[in-house]
Amino acid sequence: MADDRKADRDFDIVLFGATGFTGRLTAEYLARHAPDGLRWALAGRNRDKLEEVRHHLATISGSADDLELLHADVTDPTSLVQVAERARVVITTVGPYLAYGEPLVAACADAGTDYVDLTGEPEFVDRMYLRHHRAAVASGARIVHACGFDSIPHDLGALYTVQQLPDDAPITLRGVVRSGGTASGGTIHSALNQFARARRMKEAYSARRRAEGKPADGRRSRAVSGTPHKDSVLGYWLLPLPTIDPIVVARSGAALPAYGPDFRYSHYAGTKTIRYAAGGAVVVGALAAAAQVGPVRRFLLDRVAQGEGPDEARRDKSWFTVDFVGESGGRTVHTRVSGGDPGYTETSMMLAESALCLVLDDNPSTAGQVTTAQAMGDNLLARVQAGGLRFETL
C-alpha cells in the first residue's frame, strides 16, 4: 500500500507556483486526473492570482472550486515551513531553483515531507544534496528533483532499457534526444545562468562526489562524455548534450543493482545531417560564451520573459523522442521513449504523476535526495505511460 507515514496531514499534495505557466498546466492536469478524495491545495504569494487559477480549475473540475489557497513566499521561510508541515508532498515550479529553491527544500527535508520539482540545474541539485540530504534521510523525506522532461524520459528510459539486459555483466548505454518544441523562458534563464556558473557547478559536483562516495557493493556507474560522431545503429549524427540528464541516469545506476556491476551512460542530441549537428554546436558554444559576459547575459535575459509559453495549438505540434542503445553480455537492445510537447504539456503531466505516485503507490523504501528511478521506478513508469508517454523496444 502507499506510504501512510504522513496520512494525518491536511493535504496529500500542495502545488507551489500554480500561477506560472508550467504550474498552471500542472494544476490543470491534477484537476482533470486526481482521484476522488485526493486532498490538494494551491500555494503562492499572490492570493488574487491564486483565486484566478482556482476559478479556472473549477471550469475543468467541479471539485476544484473548494481548493484551499495557502500563503507561501520564497522570501518568507516561515510560510514555507507551514506549508511543508501540512502536506505529504509539495510540488514546486518556482525557479530558477538556484535562486529560489533552497528554502522549500530545507522545509521539506526537516518536516519529513516529500518534495518534487522540475529543475534541470545540476549545481542546485548538488548543493541541496550537500546541505539537506542528511536531514531528509533522518526525517524520511524523499527529495526528488528533475521530475519533468529533465529527467524522467531519460531516467526511466534508461531503467526500462537495462531491465532488458543481463545485470551480471557491464552495461554500456547511450541516449539520443530529438525534439520539435519551444524552450520555456524559465529554461533559457536557467541555461544562461548555468553557463555563467560553470566553475561553481563543477565545484559543487566534485564536493558531492566526495561526500557520497562509491556504491557500497563495489559496483560502478558513470556518466561518460562522448564525442561528436555518426551513430552506427541509429544513423543520426550525435552531439554530446551537457545537461543534467546523464548525471541523473548515472546516479540511478549507482543506486540500483539492475544496472549491473559497471554501468556507463553517454547522452547526445541526434540530428539527421552533419550540418545540423555543427549548427547546434555553434549555437551552444555561442550561448556559453555570451553567458560569461555580464552585460551580454543580462541583455539576453531581459529579452526572454519567464512564466510564459506557447499556446495550446503550438504545443500540440511539438514532440520528442529519446532513443536508447544498450549493450551488455554480447546483446544489443534499442528502445525509444516518445511523447508530445516536452517542455510544457508532458512536463506538467510527469510532475503531477510523480507527486501522485509518491502519495498513492507502494514504492521502494527510500529517503533523502533520490532519483525518480530510485524512488518510484516501475510505479512511475506505469503512470507516465498511462499519461501518454510511449516506451517501446525496437
Side-chain angles (χ1 to χ4, degrees):
M1 62 181 183
D3 176 16
D4 60 358
R5 292 170 297 171
K6 303 177 287 293
D8 60 343
R9 297 195 177 181
D10 296 333
F11 305 107
D12 297 311
I13 295 173
V14 173
L15 171 58
F16 180 39
T19 59
F21 191 85
T22 306
R24 187 183 181 101
L25 291 177
T26 305
E28 290 177 359
Y29 186 90
L30 285 171
R32 290 189 175 102
H33 298 282
D36 292 340
L38 186 82
R39 303 164 300 156
W40 64 291
L42 307 178
R45 63 180 181 177
N46 188 317
R47 186 173 181 88
D48 290 341
K49 290 183 177 180
L50 287 174
E51 288 178 348
E52 290 176 7
V53 174
R54 180 171 62 183
H55 177 73
H56 170 68
L57 297 178
T59 67
I60 296 172
S61 170
S63 62
D65 56 2
D66 60 352
L67 283 176
E68 192 161 340
L69 307 180
L70 309 179
H71 172 70
D73 187 335
V74 295
T75 65
D76 178 8
T78 299
S79 71
L80 302 180
V81 169
Q82 292 170 346
V83 166
E85 289 178 343
R86 298 183 68 185
R88 297 176 66 189
V89 180
V90 176
I91 303 172
T92 175
T93 61
V94 180
Y97 291 91
L98 194 59
Y100 304 120
E102 182 170 7
L104 184 57
V105 174
C108 290
D110 290 341
T113 302
D114 295 333
Y115 164 103
V116 296
D117 66 27
L118 44 74
T119 188
E121 303 167 49
E123 183 185 352
F124 171 73
V125 172
D126 289 340
R127 294 200 185 281
M128 294 309 94
Y129 178 91
L130 291 167
R131 296 171 184 168
H132 304 292
H133 172 71
R134 288 185 179 180
V137 170
S139 70
R142 292 169 289 190
I143 307 299
V144 194
H145 301 290
C147 293
F149 184 65
D150 291 322
S151 295
I152 283 178
H154 317 94
D155 195 26
L156 296 188
L159 175 66
Y160 174 84
T161 306
V162 301
Q163 287 174 338
Q164 302 178 53
L165 292 166
D167 63 4
D168 60 352
I171 295 175
T172 299
L173 180 68
R174 61 186 177 275
V176 180
V177 183
R178 302 184 70 239
S179 68
T182 304
S184 71
T187 297
I188 294 171
H189 275 246
S190 292
L192 286 169
N193 287 324
Q194 286 177 76
F195 283 138
R197 297 178 62 89
R199 180 178 59 80
R200 282 167 285 189
M201 188 173 4
K202 184 177 180 180
E203 290 172 351
Y205 177 77
S206 298
R208 174 174 179 163
R209 289 197 65 182
R210 290 192 298 270
E212 64 185 348
K214 298 179 180 179
D217 55 6
R219 297 168 52 252
R220 301 178 69 193
S221 180
R222 291 162 288 168
V224 181
S225 297
T227 58
H229 65 281
K230 189 170 185 179
D231 192 288
S232 60
V233 175
L234 304 175
Y236 298 134
W237 287 93
L238 305 188
L239 179 68
L241 269 181
T243 63
I244 195 173
D245 306 303
I247 301 171
V248 171
V249 171
R251 286 173 180 156
S252 293
L256 300 172
Y259 291 70
D262 189 353
F263 176 70
R264 295 163 57 93
Y265 178 74
S266 51
H267 192 63
Y268 303 91
T271 66
K272 291 184 177 180
T273 68
I274 191 171
R275 178 167 62 91
Y276 285 116
V282 170
V283 170
V284 171
L287 285 175
Q292 308 308 312
V293 183
V296 177
R297 183 177 68 254
R298 289 189 290 272
F299 173 83
L300 293 173
L301 292 174
D302 288 343
R303 297 297 182 278
V304 180
Q306 296 191 77
E308 299 179 3
D311 61 23
E312 186 174 0
R314 189 168 183 180
R315 297 198 308 273
D316 286 345
K317 297 178 181 178
S318 300
W319 57 272
F320 80 88
T321 62
V322 187
D323 284 272
F324 296 90
V325 178
E327 300 171 86
S328 178
R331 184 180 179 193
T332 299
V333 173
H334 175 199
T335 68
R336 178 178 295 159
V337 181
S338 58
D341 170 56
Y344 301 97
T345 305
E346 302 291 28
T347 280
S348 59
M349 178 275 290
M350 290 184 275
L351 186 62
E353 289 292 355
S354 295
L356 291 168
C357 188
L358 289 173
V359 167
L360 300 173
D361 295 346
D362 184 12
N363 296 302
S365 178
T366 57
Q369 190 188 104
V370 286
T371 66
T372 55
Q374 182 183 0
M376 295 169 275
D378 289 335
N379 289 333
L380 185 56
L381 179 60
R383 283 186 168 276
V384 297
Q385 286 178 294
L389 296 193
R390 294 178 294 280
F391 289 70
E392 53 190 327
T393 302
L394 304 174

